[in-house]
Amino acid sequence: MTTTTGATATAQREITYLQAVNEALHHEMERDSKVFVAGIDLAARGDVFGTTRGILSRFGSERILDTPISENAIVGLAVGSALQGLRPVVSVMFIDFIGVCFDVILNQMAKNKYMFGGKARLPLVVLANAGAGGGMAAQHSQSLEALLCHIPGLKVVMPSMAADAKGLLTSAIREDNPVFFVQHKRCARLRGHVPEGEYVVPLGKARVVREGRDATVVATAYMVHEALAAAERLAERGIEIEIVDPRTLQPLDIETILASVQKTHRVLTVHEAVQFGGIGAEITSQIVAEAFDHLDAPPARLGGPWSPVPYSVVLEREWIVNADKIHDAVVALVEGGEG
Amino acid sequence: MTTARQIDAEQLLYMYRTMVTIREFEETAGRLAEQAKIPGAVHLYAGEEAIAVGVCAHLDPADTITSTHRGHGHCIAKGGDVRRMFAELFGKSEGYCRGKGGSMHIADLDIGILGANGIVGGGPPIAVGAAFAAKYQGNGRVCVCFTGDGATNEGTWHEAINFAALHRLPAIFVIENNHYGEFTPQERQGAIARLADRAASYGIPGVSIDGQDVIAVYEAAREAIERARRGDGPTIIEGDTYRFYNHTGMSEGDPRPQEERAAWRQRDPIAILRGVLEQRAILSGESAERIHEEVRREVEGAIRFAEAAPYPDPSELLTDVYSD
Ligand SMILES: Cc1ncc(C[n+]2csc(CCOP(=O)(O)OP(=O)(O)O)c2C)c(N)n1
Ligand SMILES: [Mg+2]
């Protein structure tokens, strides 16, 4: 409980990304009785990631369900109940587990509206946790957001900051389309200023996280934090990067990215997901198509190498993109040659 | 009904030692995970040893198994090398997966271990393929698919058993019913009490047994495996059991009722077999202590081996994504 009063105290309140997600859930469940939550260990346990703590005691077992280990039924529950007017929020735990229920996602959820000639509405949210870094190996560490972005009919958000997590989940729950809310595990414990009460961040709007003149770094999820760390070291070298966090990947706010690139004339895209076919490829290709004349150097990309995520700490450390790699890539981009 | 009397002493002692090895391995792994010497998640099999051991006692190295996230016990029971297992948990290049897999992905194709699995319900469809290959090649092998109770609610489990039943594949589906999937009790995950009853819907036999009694497991497995080898198709075996530690790691944060945990501790599969062995004068307090001591030394040796082993070279990051 805060004892100070007034808007300033509220604005300065710091909570974790996880708490921010939890607040948005509480707020939207309070606001709309059509919102319910379901997933493995979500109710009594409050989710193994902690996302739904306190929801059961506040809203009761009608509004939050522990489910069998049955991802097809869990995500199908979302599709069917959304078609019937509810606003489900379901969890697949690790994003890796979409493999189990990909038909429901790919062929049902994403396509019903269009296939039915527009006569359907699917106001649902799927919570999914992505990312490596915990020694969880190949089936619990992936970043599969690009796979989802490739499917017309789905929207995909991937916030990096606590406030955005709250604001975007609020929008996702109010959205009349299927939204994947992808949380990066390493973002979960990061703290940030998060407005109390209702807080909405619109889907499809990027954010300039840091201003700079020399190069634009478009980074997603935890890579925003790695880019911020790189930015400090680059500043010592006299290089000021502008960091753009798309926040929503589908639909993509290319305008904000283009505006930044037109200012800096150089661009690096960074994500943890494997580089080949990643969201960075799409962003880069749109930049080349729309702002080719503004570029002073070929666009650069950073992403995971072409392998599953390895277990051993020494290999996993090597696998993940980090501030050092971003630093070197920016130096090469701005100064040419090797970092 | 066969009794312990008809299983020879050597086999019983082998099963005893193997269960003790699993317990020692798991409690050591749990402590090392608590000290953050093992990254990621370890799912301990302690308490459930009788199932892996009673089943795998019938298998040849060429027979196959598919395992789960809680797979260390299956691996040891199938003949896995604890040194290479610990090396894998440490992420070392001498590990079973050269450090690329970790606890949830230990595999040894040379002795038929087709992999632990990080995906609940990931194993059953693979077991269908392994059993099909055995039938196709006429080599007399069987495949045992281990899963937890929670996994029986995945579609993959049902599809796999129906397929295997239809083609009378030499597969055995073993459910380790420890009454929880993660933190949720089984009765809140399904509406039937006996999971083996599901066998009726595939037209195959299903048996529920005391999973803490290795002899009961051994006998049920014998029948199911003989049936599979004869070409009469799969069986579901449900073993009633309990994990002695939390879903991952040791006991921290375990939400299960204290009385329930204490009651199951009274049904320790190692103590139950020890009682039988002592009664039959196969084992004395002294010879039991010798086994425990030998196992402790084996596990300590394995830790030393794993600690001394090198980490993989970073250049290995991009190897083995494909076969050449
Ligand atoms: C497809 C999938 N869904 C969920 C999980 C998360 N998860 C890991 S273990 C587990 C519980 C499995 O329960 P059970 O099959 O009974 O095995 P037990 O852990 O009790 O041995 C769950 C839900 C997963 N790994 N894979
Ligand atoms: Mg279980």
Side-chain angles (χ1 to χ4, degrees):
Chain A
M1 267 312 286
T2 170
T3 47
T4 38
T5 51
T8 318
T10 298
Q12 290 310 308
R13 183 190 66 139
E14 272 200 3
I15 58 173
T16 65
Y17 181 104
L18 199 65
Q19 289 166 326
V21 168
N22 185 270
E23 267 191 13
L25 280 172
H26 270 93
H27 192 272
E28 291 310 290
M29 290 182 78
E30 203 75 66
R31 181 175 171 270
D32 185 349
S33 65
K34 292 199 283 299
V35 178
F36 76 97
V37 179
I40 295 165
D41 278 317
L42 250 49
R45 187 76 178 181
D47 183 24
V48 296
F49 298 100
T51 318
T52 51
R53 244 167 244 159
I55 303 249
L56 178 64
S57 59
R58 174 68 191 83
F59 296 99
S61 56
E62 265 92 71
R63 307 260 327 261
I64 181 160
L65 278 66
D66 278 327
T67 65
I69 310 170
S70 308
E71 286 79 6
N72 275 292
I74 295 167
V75 180
L77 170 78
V79 174
S81 64
L83 288 171
Q84 292 303 303
L86 300 183
R87 305 190 79 86
V89 177
V90 300
S91 169
V92 292
M93 299 183 78
F94 290 79
I95 199 169
D96 313 67
F97 305 162
I98 62 171
V100 176
C101 52
F102 208 40
D103 175 69
V104 187
I105 294 164
L106 167 69
N107 288 316
Q108 318 301 333
M109 171 195 298
K111 295 181 172 54
N112 277 355
K113 172 149 192 98
Y114 187 83
M115 286 190 310
F116 299 167
K119 290 195 296 287
R121 219 170 256 281
L122 289 107
L124 67 90
V125 178
V126 181
L127 306 176
N129 294 273
M136 294 292 285
Q139 296 174 341
H140 286 77
S141 302
Q142 296 171 87
S143 291
L144 300 174
E145 64 278 2
L147 217 58
L148 298 166
C149 287
H150 193 63
I151 304 170
L154 302 184
K155 296 193 174 187
V156 182
V157 301
M158 201 172 185
S160 64
M161 309 272 178
D164 289 342
K166 179 172 179 180
L168 285 165
L169 182 54
T170 302
S171 293
I173 294 172
R174 295 181 188 181
E175 169 76 27
D176 277 345
N177 292 292
V179 182
F180 271 79
F181 187 83
V182 185
Q183 295 162 261
H184 193 290
K185 283 165 248 166
R186 283 193 291 164
C187 290
R189 278 182 182 75
L190 300 179
R191 305 177 75 85
H193 300 305
V194 179
E196 266 170 303
E198 175 172 273
Y199 182 60
V200 182
V201 172
L203 301 185
K205 285 269 169 285
R207 185 162 86 92
V208 178
V209 174
R210 180 188 196 277
E211 294 198 23
R213 56 168 194 268
D214 298 317
T216 298
V217 174
V218 183
T220 62
Y222 193 73
M223 289 304 134
V224 174
H225 302 282
E226 295 285 356
L228 283 165
E232 300 210 352
R233 286 179 46 212
L234 287 161
E236 288 163 19
R237 197 181 172 119
I239 298 174
E240 294 295 338
I241 57 171
E242 179 146 305
I243 302 173
V244 181
D245 175 2
R247 302 192 291 186
T248 303
L249 302 181
Q250 181 64 265
L252 183 68
D253 176 7
I254 194 67
E255 280 72 31
T256 300
I257 296 169
L258 288 174
S260 176
V261 172
Q262 283 161 8
K263 175 173 129 189
T264 64
H265 310 292
R266 288 181 161 84
V267 65
L268 167 72
T269 57
V270 189
H271 48 67
E272 188 180 304
V274 287
Q275 186 170 316
F276 188 104
I279 194 72
E282 176 63 31
I283 294 171
T284 302
S285 110
Q286 291 198 31
I287 291 168
V288 169
E290 303 294 330
F292 186 77
D293 292 340
H294 294 271
L295 290 173
D296 286 348
R301 288 199 287 146
L302 267 182
W306 191 242
S307 79
V309 180
Y311 165 75
S312 182
V313 281
V314 297
L315 295 180
E316 191 187 37
R317 200 186 302 134
E318 189 76 9
W319 192 91
I320 302 174
V321 177
N322 58 22
D324 285 348
K325 293 178 191 174
I326 296 171
H327 173 274
D328 293 353
V330 170
V331 170
L333 178 69
V334 173
E335 298 178 357
E338 296 302 301
Chain B
M1 188 56 200
T2 324
T3 65
R5 215 156 285 286
Q6 292 156 270
I7 306 173
D8 66 46
E10 202 187 326
Q11 181 74 296
L12 290 169
L13 279 172
Y14 164 78
M15 294 200 288
Y16 185 78
R17 175 186 291 267
T18 309
M19 294 205 293
V20 171
T21 305
I22 295 172
R23 179 69 54 87
E24 185 66 21
F25 183 97
E26 292 297 59
E27 294 185 335
T28 307
R31 281 192 298 273
L32 290 166
E34 274 183 341
Q35 297 160 21
K37 289 194 178 152
I38 297 173
V42 291
H43 303 81
L44 304 182
Y45 195 70
E48 307 187 14
E49 293 91 345
I51 299 184
V53 171
V55 171
C56 291
H58 297 282
L59 301 181
D60 295 326
D63 291 318
T64 54
I65 63 168
T66 64
S67 173
T68 68
H69 55 287
R70 200 174 302 290
H72 305 159
H74 307 137
C75 187
I76 292 171
K78 190 69 171 58
D81 175 354
V82 292
R83 295 179 318 151
R84 296 186 64 200
M85 290 176 68
F86 268 122
E88 187 59 34
L89 298 189
F90 286 176
K92 299 296 187 71
S93 65
E94 303 292 330
Y96 262 123
C97 313
R98 307 189 60 80
K100 283 178 171 167
S103 167
M104 283 193 283
H105 304 294
I106 293 177
D108 185 351
L109 301 191
D110 293 337
I111 55 169
I113 302 170
L114 306 186
N117 213 310
I119 301 297
V120 171
I126 295 168
V128 170
F132 177 81
K135 188 179 176 195
Y136 190 87
Q137 293 167 335
N139 56 20
R141 295 176 188 170
V142 299
C143 179
V144 176
C145 168
F146 291 99
T147 69
D149 47 292
T152 68
N153 297 321
E154 288 284 13
T156 52
W157 189 83
H158 298 268
E159 292 183 31
I161 299 179
N162 180 60
F163 196 118
L166 175 68
H167 292 281
R168 292 180 168 246
L169 299 181
I172 297 92
F173 294 89
V174 176
I175 307 168
E176 299 170 329
N177 187 352
N178 61 14
H179 305 279
Y180 287 84
E182 284 189 354
F183 306 100
T184 303
Q186 178 56 29
E187 60 270 20
R188 292 207 289 113
Q189 299 199 38
I192 63 169
R194 263 176 44 119
L195 300 178
D197 288 350
R198 289 178 166 173
S201 60
Y202 312 110
I204 61 168
V207 291
S208 291
I209 50 154
D210 178 359
Q212 303 309 85
D213 176 0
V214 73
I215 292 163
V217 176
Y218 185 83
E219 293 309 332
R222 186 211 309 268
E223 202 172 321
I225 291 169
E226 279 174 1
R227 182 185 159 82
R229 288 204 208 277
R230 275 201 311 272
D232 288 342
T235 303
I236 293 175
I237 300 174
E238 173 189 13
D240 191 28
T241 188
Y242 200 73
R243 53 174 161 73
F244 282 177
Y245 296 103
N246 203 355
H247 171 61
T248 60
M250 302 288 268
S251 300
E252 198 196 320
D254 191 339
R256 298 173 304 172
Q258 193 55 51
E259 319 77 69
E260 180 184 290
R261 280 192 268 164
W264 277 96
R265 280 280 183 179
Q266 296 304 308
R267 309 222 55 246
D268 185 326
I270 295 175
I272 290 172
L273 179 58
R274 183 167 171 162
V276 173
L277 294 177
E278 283 176 356
Q279 209 181 357
R280 282 185 60 191
I282 293 173
L283 198 68
S284 64
E286 201 181 311
S287 56
E289 194 38 52
R290 197 159 53 240
I291 292 175
H292 286 260
E293 187 49 39
E294 282 167 14
V295 166
R296 268 195 294 276
R297 278 209 300 277
E298 185 189 357
V299 168
E300 279 164 19
I303 301 285
R304 277 198 302 278
F305 169 85
E307 274 172 346
Y311 279 106
D313 191 88
S315 66
E316 289 201 34
L317 188 62
L318 298 179
T319 61
D320 293 325
V321 179
Y322 302 99
S323 300
D324 292 327

